[in-house]
Amino acid sequence: MNRKLLLVALLAVATVTQAKVRLHHLVSDNMIIQQQSDVRLWGWATPGRKVTATTSWSEQRASAKADKQGRWLLTVHSPKASYDPLSITFDDGDGQVVIQNVLAGEVWVCAGQSNMEMPVKGFGNCPVQDYNQEVIGAAGPRQVRSAKIPSIMRMTPQEDADTRWRECSPQTVGDFSATGYFFAKTVNRALDIPVGIIEANKGGSRVESWLTKENLEKYTSEPTDTMGIVNFKKEWDYHRALVWGNGTFNPILNYTVRGILFYQGCSNVGDPGNQYSERLKLLVEQWRQQFQLGELPFYFVQIAPYDSGDKQGTWNALLQEQQYRASQIIPNSGLVCTNDCVYPYEGTQIHPAQKQKVGQRLAFLALNKTYGMGSVICESPSYRDMQVKDGKVMLHFDNECGAISRFEGIEGFELAGSDRVFYPAKARHFWQPGGGYWDECIVVESDRVAQPVAVRYCFRNWLLGNLANAGGLPLFPFRSDNW
C-alpha cells in the first residue's frame, strides 16, 4: 500500500472511531437498571446521527436522533429484577458500543453531606463500627453495586461525571457510602434482588448547595454569580450554594431511579425559624421535577446529637425539629431518628460510628412504604399530647406500634414550670384510666417542678434518651412548648 492509500485508510479508521457513539459514564458495564421501568439511556454522537439500542433480554429496539449538540436520549423497558447478567448494544451506524454485566434491580440515590459520604472504611479518626466484619461479609453472590459521583463545583449544570459502577466485594466495599451500603444490603436481603446506589453528595454542604439558580434567586438571598459565591461564606467552599448541585447532582438527573435517600443538616444548624424545612421541601420538589419520575420517595435522616461546644444548648435540637417538620410537609417522605445512634463518648464526634442502624432504618422505610412490607415497623414514635395532673405530666405518643421498650429507667426527659427553666425529670410507664378504657402513657415528674407547664425530650445539643417503640425505633426528640 502506498503512502497516499495508507493515509486514506487511517483517516477512515479515525472517522469511524470519532463517530462511534459515546455513553454517559453511568451507562456502563456493571450498571444496575431500575427493574420493570422505562429506563432512560443517553449519551452523545455526531449531530443528526441516529443511535439505536438493542437489549439482550428482548427483541425491542429503541432509537433516538442526536441533536445539534450531539446529545441523544432513548428509553428501553427493563425486565423483572434478577441476578442474570444482561447486555445492551448501542449502534450509530458507524460503530457499536456494548455494555455488559448489567443487572435489573432497584436503584436509589444517596444524597447529602459527610455522614452520607462517609465510607464503610470511615474517615480519618472517624471509624465505622464493625468494619472488618463488613469487609468479610461482602464476599458472596449477593449483588449490591455503587457508583460514586465525584464531588466537584461548577457554575453551570454539568451533563456527565467521571464515574463507574463498582461491584461489591471485600476489595471494594470499604469505599461504598456506609449509610448507603447498609441500606442496600438490607433491601437486597429482604427482597433478594440486586440493589444499586448512586452516591451524589458532598461533605459540609448545605441544603442551598443543591438548589438551582432559579430557586436560589426566587426563594433565597444567596448569591448566584461567580464573585458573590466565592466571597459568600468564603472560609468554607463546601458551604457554597448552587455549585455542588451543578457539578455533582445534575449529571445523574437522566438516570431512572426508585427514590432518594438524604442525610444532611449539620451545616444548616442555626438557620432561623422554619427556613430549613421550607428549603428542604423546595429541594425535594426541585429534584422530583428534574428527575421527571413522579413523586419519588424521599427518605432522610435526622442529625444525631452533637456537643457543639455546649451540651446544654438547643441549636442542634432546633434543626432536628425542623427536620421533623419537613417530614410532615413533604409528601411521600419518611424520617429516621438517630438519637440512639451515638455512643456516650461520641459527643464531639460529628461522624458517629453506628452507620448500620442508620442504613437499616432507611431500608425499613423503603421496605414498608415503597415495597409494601407492612409487617416492617418503620416509623419512630412521636409526641402526641400531654396532660398535667397532681404535679405530673402524662404523655401520649403516636407510632408506639403496640409496645414501648421499657417501663422503668427512662432517660432524656425534662420539665419546666412557668419560670421556663428546665430540670431533669423522672419518667415511667403508667396505665391511665380514661374514656372507659385503660390508656397507656408515660408519666413524668420532677421534685424541682411542682407545677409543670412544659416537657421536653432530648431537646439539647447533647442529650441521649432510651425510649423506643416495639420495633426498637427511638422516640423523636420534642418539646411541648414554643419558647
Side-chain angles (χ1 to χ4, degrees):
M1 181 181 296
N2 62 39
R3 293 182 62 183
K4 185 175 181 179
L5 290 176
L6 177 60
L7 179 60
V8 170
L10 290 174
L11 287 173
V13 171
T15 301
V16 171
T17 302
Q18 291 171 1
K20 194 174 183 179
V21 62
R22 179 167 68 88
L23 306 177
H24 189 280
H25 278 77
L26 282 173
V27 183
S28 60
D29 292 345
N30 306 317
M31 70 186 296
I32 292 185
I33 56 175
Q34 182 60 44
Q35 66 161 328
Q36 296 179 300
S37 300
D38 289 327
V39 172
R40 295 179 296 221
L41 306 169
W42 74 106
W44 296 264
T46 301
R49 182 80 64 176
K50 178 181 177 182
V51 178
T52 300
T54 306
T55 69
S56 65
W57 61 86
S58 75
E59 296 181 355
Q60 67 175 317
R61 296 168 65 89
S63 300
K65 185 178 180 180
D67 65 16
K68 293 180 179 179
Q69 288 73 42
R71 296 185 296 250
W72 56 267
L73 182 148
L74 53 81
T75 62
V76 298
H77 192 75
S78 57
K80 184 178 179 180
S82 79
Y83 299 107
D84 297 330
L86 310 169
S87 66
I88 308 173
T89 300
F90 299 88
D91 193 335
D92 68 349
D94 280 332
Q96 292 186 342
V97 175
V98 182
I99 58 173
Q100 302 185 31
N101 197 28
V102 176
L103 297 181
E106 294 294 304
V107 183
W108 289 78
V109 176
C110 295
Q113 58 181 113
S114 56
N115 271 296
M116 179 62 86
E117 186 178 27
M118 185 179 188
V120 173
K121 65 184 179 185
F123 293 136
N125 290 320
C126 303
V128 169
Q129 182 173 291
D130 298 329
Y131 166 72
N132 281 342
Q133 291 90 325
E134 296 300 338
V135 169
I136 295 169
R142 289 189 179 274
Q143 291 286 353
V144 171
R145 298 180 182 180
S146 168
K148 168 65 174 172
I149 308 300
S151 300
I152 57 174
M153 295 183 288
R154 292 291 185 270
M155 284 301 300
T156 57
Q158 300 299 291
E159 296 184 11
D160 203 356
D162 186 9
T163 187
R164 61 184 179 86
W165 282 92
R166 305 169 292 187
E167 296 182 273
C168 182
S169 71
Q171 291 73 39
T172 63
V173 70
D175 292 321
F176 283 35
S177 158
T179 295
Y181 173 67
F182 296 129
F183 165 87
K185 178 181 175 181
T186 304
V187 173
N188 171 257
R189 180 177 180 182
L191 303 182
D192 193 20
I193 58 176
V195 180
I197 53 175
I198 299 175
E199 304 176 33
N201 42 60
K202 170 60 183 176
S205 57
R206 299 181 300 144
V207 69
E208 293 83 3
S209 302
W210 307 101
L211 291 173
T212 61
K213 180 177 181 179
E214 292 73 20
N215 278 333
L216 288 167
E217 292 178 347
K218 185 175 182 179
Y219 297 103
T220 80
S221 59
E222 299 277 341
T224 58
D225 63 288
T226 303
M227 291 309 299
I229 289 175
V230 170
N231 291 326
F232 185 72
K233 293 185 180 294
K234 58 185 176 182
E235 66 273 27
W236 307 115
D237 63 1
Y238 47 73
H239 278 172
R240 292 171 178 164
L242 178 67
V243 293
W244 297 108
N246 279 344
T248 305
F249 206 89
N250 202 78
I252 75 171
L253 292 173
N254 281 334
Y255 210 91
T256 306
V257 302
R258 173 65 75 187
I260 301 170
L261 311 174
F262 191 66
Y263 193 170
Q264 189 274 339
C266 296
S267 290
N268 284 94
V269 168
D271 284 5
N274 290 331
Q275 177 175 294
Y276 180 81
S277 56
E278 292 297 331
R279 290 185 180 180
L280 183 58
K281 180 175 182 288
L282 174 65
L283 177 61
V284 175
E285 292 170 350
Q286 171 190 300
W287 280 345
R288 286 173 173 168
Q289 189 278 328
Q290 288 176 314
F291 273 109
Q292 297 184 0
L293 295 170
E295 195 174 75
L296 285 171
F298 180 78
Y299 302 135
F300 62 117
V301 182
Q302 196 173 52
I303 61 172
Y306 182 61
D307 185 307
S308 288
D310 179 5
K311 292 183 179 180
Q312 298 303 306
T314 60
W315 45 88
N316 276 5
L318 291 169
L319 195 283
Q320 291 171 335
E321 184 177 63
Q322 281 295 294
Q323 291 178 310
Y324 182 79
R325 180 178 184 270
S327 73
Q328 305 302 297
I329 63 176
I330 298 173
N332 199 19
S333 70
L335 180 64
V336 166
C337 180
T338 60
N339 181 262
D340 65 339
C341 295
V342 292
Y343 291 112
Y345 53 80
E346 288 186 308
T348 58
Q349 176 57 277
I350 195 66
H351 304 119
Q354 299 179 67
K355 290 297 185 282
Q356 288 87 344
K357 286 183 180 179
V358 182
Q360 288 167 1
R361 289 172 186 174
L362 286 168
F364 296 160
L365 286 167
L367 290 171
N368 181 301
K369 294 176 175 289
T370 302
Y371 299 113
M373 295 184 67
S375 58
V376 174
I377 296 173
C378 69
E379 294 182 315
S380 279
S382 57
Y383 170 74
R384 185 170 73 207
D385 59 44
M386 63 174 280
Q387 300 171 345
V388 180
K389 183 177 181 181
D390 300 328
K392 300 178 179 65
V393 172
M394 296 179 179
L395 296 172
H396 303 92
F397 304 107
D398 292 322
N399 295 320
E400 289 180 345
C401 303
I404 60 171
S405 60
R406 57 177 58 237
F407 283 6
E408 302 290 343
I410 300 171
E411 300 173 353
F413 284 96
E414 295 179 294
L415 288 180
S418 58
D419 62 357
R420 298 189 176 188
V421 178
F422 282 90
Y423 297 96
K426 296 179 181 179
R428 56 185 172 83
H429 177 267
F430 184 69
W431 290 102
Q432 174 191 6
Y437 61 93
W438 288 91
D439 190 14
E440 190 174 23
C441 72
I442 298 296
V443 60
V444 184
E445 57 186 318
S446 172
D447 294 338
R448 304 181 70 177
V449 184
Q451 295 181 316
V453 298
V455 60
R456 291 182 174 184
Y457 177 75
C458 296
F459 206 81
R460 300 281 184 183
N461 289 342
W462 180 259
L463 183 56
L464 308 184
N466 60 3
L467 196 61
N469 65 11
L473 302 180
L475 174 64
F476 279 116
F478 72 88
R479 58 174 174 165
S480 67
D481 62 278
N482 61 358
W483 300 337

